[in-house]
Amino acid sequence: MSSRLPRAALLCAVFPLLVLAGCGSDDDDSNPERSVGSLKLIGQQVLPRRGEFQGTVVGGLSGIDYDAARQRYVFISDDRTTTDSPTPPRMYTGALTFNATTFSSVQMQSTFTMKQPGGAVYPKVPDPLVADPESVRVDPVSGNYVWTSEGDRTLASGTTAERLINPFIREIRPDGTHVREYTLPSMFQMARTEKGARGNLAFEGLAFTPDSLSTAVLMEGPLFEDGPAPSVTAGGLARLTVFNRAAGVAVSQYVYPVDKVQVAPVPADQFSVSGATEILAITNTRFLVLERSFSVGVTGNQIRLYEVDISKASNVLNTTSLTGAAYTPLTKRLVLDFETLKTQLGGIANLEGMTFGPKLPNGHDSLVIVADDNFPTADSATDRNQIIVFDVQP
């Protein structure tokens, strides 16, 4: 897409709230419109466990974006395995009511299923075409919804059928019908051998830059070629890929160092994971990133929010393996350790979605973060539909 002034002026006129940070100089760091110094908690809402809306079970909210043009929020649900909910993976639209001091309500307004390129809805596990939705954003030019699927890498074992499903980035209309698919580098393909993307550690975060020219996609964890997944003793290396938004092709890629697992599981040989769960653009080179650590036997999740900067990082798009390679990773600055809010919020759930909301009465940005509750069968502080709103302190 051209960045000529007439095009930029048109974008600012049509989508002023969505591209506010891109409506000035092309020099990213000279634009003071949006910055994140720290966060001040406004409040939270916890939706009922397995609450119903229009024949669906509300849960699995793994992504959220604010649709400023329509003045509503868009949520994506990763319901691909819940046997007691016949509804395929889907999105919701809704309204949040809050001001600078109070977060008072959440109201779902509509729901719709995402359609495959051929027009059918996405099936559920164990179908080999199952999708694993993780993030959703409103395209700042078309107004369509762009979403990611993490894919699947389940190898055959006993009665378990093999599923090798590549991750994807797809654009749909607000009614769910398919528009197009981004072209992915081959490094993200799933394989039977230890090559490419790991199962459940692929595309977790999606963001559009304020200039509307780029789409950033962040992996949860490392490719096999890039070293081991994070453990209690060491972190790992994920990749942040920048795509040309209009063409849907990758143009650059940066190394994102993922933190180690924050707390050892109980017992020590049980499952644990640490990874990036969402990305949100502040400027064209600076982003907010959510990181989540979880360990079996430990109540709640350990969540950290970082500001990251790619401006001085190496482009590793053509680097097939980071193991032994020379590169400069992106930089990270801790904005908030959610452990400091654990008591106040009554626990920290599986936070996976994040968006800037409308401006607050004090002129500050609002920040909304949502949790994927994993459709629990019992009440849980670890798995619940937690929605948190913050006042962004510049």
Side-chain angles (χ1 to χ4, degrees), residues 320-339:
T320 56
S321 172
L322 298 178
T323 304
Y327 60 84
T328 300
L330 55 73
T331 59
K332 298 170 64 175
R333 175 182 70 87
L334 181 65
V335 175
L336 177 65
D337 185 342
F338 278 78
E339 287 295 293

Side-chain angles (χ1 to χ4, degrees), residues 216-218 238-242 252-254 279 287 308 310 330:
V217 177
L218 181 60
R239 297 196 185 216
L240 191 166
T241 307
V242 177
S252 60
Q253 192 176 77
Y254 307 96
I279 185 170
F287 303 84
V308 307
I310 64 174
L330 55 73

Side-chain angles (χ1 to χ4, degrees), residues 208-294:
F208 289 110
T209 53
D211 62 8
S212 304
L213 300 180
S214 302
T215 309
V217 177
L218 181 60
M219 295 191 71
E220 182 175 356
L223 299 172
F224 279 108
E225 291 89 340
D226 293 340
S231 67
V232 294
T233 58
L237 302 174
R239 297 196 185 216
L240 191 166
T241 307
V242 177
F243 291 79
N244 177 285
R245 188 210 61 80
V249 296
V251 294
S252 60
Q253 192 176 77
Y254 307 96
V255 177
Y256 183 94
V258 179
D259 291 353
K260 67 180 182 180
V261 174
Q262 298 301 309
V263 182
V266 181
D269 60 351
Q270 294 301 297
F271 173 79
S272 65
V273 65
S274 178
T277 62
E278 187 59 283
I279 185 170
L280 178 64
I282 304 171
T283 70
N284 297 330
T285 60
R286 291 185 292 114
F287 303 84
L288 290 177
V289 173
L290 274 174
E291 280 198 43
R292 172 205 56 220
S293 175
F294 170 78

Side-chain angles (χ1 to χ4, degrees), residues 299-321:
T299 300
N301 297 263
Q302 294 75 50
I303 307 290
R304 292 177 176 176
L305 179 67
Y306 289 99
E307 179 181 318
V308 307
D309 190 339
I310 64 174
S311 62
K312 295 180 174 61
S314 305
N315 181 357
V316 296
L317 183 59
N318 296 319
T319 303
T320 56
S321 172

Side-chain angles (χ1 to χ4, degrees), residues 35-262:
S35 64
V36 177
S38 61
L39 301 181
K40 178 182 177 182
L41 178 66
I42 293 176
Q44 73 166 333
Q45 293 286 319
V46 178
L47 303 183
R49 178 175 59 88
R50 291 178 176 261
E52 293 191 4
F53 176 77
Q54 294 185 357
T56 72
V57 176
V58 178
L61 303 180
S62 55
I64 183 175
D65 202 26
Y66 180 59
D67 187 345
R70 301 177 180 93
Q71 295 186 319
R72 66 186 185 187
Y73 291 86
V74 182
F75 305 83
I76 192 167
S77 171
D78 67 353
D79 186 1
R80 66 178 193 143
T81 60
T82 308
T83 56
D84 60 350
S85 171
T87 315
R90 56 197 173 274
M91 295 189 191
Y92 296 91
T93 65
L96 308 182
T97 303
F98 58 84
N99 55 34
T101 59
T102 306
F103 177 21
S104 57
S105 70
V106 179
Q107 181 180 10
M108 293 299 179
Q109 297 172 329
S110 68
T111 185
F112 60 93
T113 55
M114 300 89 81
K115 305 299 191 301
Q116 298 182 61
V121 299
Y122 289 87
K124 288 195 172 186
V125 171
D127 193 290
L129 294 179
V130 66
D132 187 4
E134 292 296 346
S135 186
V136 61
R137 295 291 177 204
V138 180
D139 186 291
V141 177
S142 68
N144 290 331
Y145 302 151
V146 178
W147 63 288
T148 63
S149 171
E150 199 169 20
D152 198 350
R153 183 180 181 271
T154 300
L155 303 182
S157 175
T159 59
T160 302
E162 180 179 272
R163 292 193 303 275
L164 293 175
I165 305 169
N166 291 327
F168 61 71
I169 308 165
R170 289 179 178 169
E171 180 177 339
I172 59 172
R173 298 179 183 88
D175 65 359
T177 55
H178 178 81
V179 175
R180 64 166 178 156
E181 185 165 351
Y182 282 52
T183 302
L184 302 185
S186 59
M187 68 177 68
F188 296 125
Q189 293 181 356
M190 299 289 186
R192 294 179 181 85
T193 58
E194 292 192 347
K195 177 182 178 182
R198 283 178 162 89
N200 208 34
L201 289 180
F203 296 162
E204 278 280 336
L206 173 72
F208 289 110
T209 53
D211 62 8
S212 304
L213 300 180
S214 302
T215 309
V217 177
L218 181 60
M219 295 191 71
E220 182 175 356
L223 299 172
F224 279 108
E225 291 89 340
D226 293 340
S231 67
V232 294
T233 58
L237 302 174
R239 297 196 185 216
L240 191 166
T241 307
V242 177
F243 291 79
N244 177 285
R245 188 210 61 80
V249 296
V251 294
S252 60
Q253 192 176 77
Y254 307 96
V255 177
Y256 183 94
V258 179
D259 291 353
K260 67 180 182 180
V261 174
Q262 298 301 309

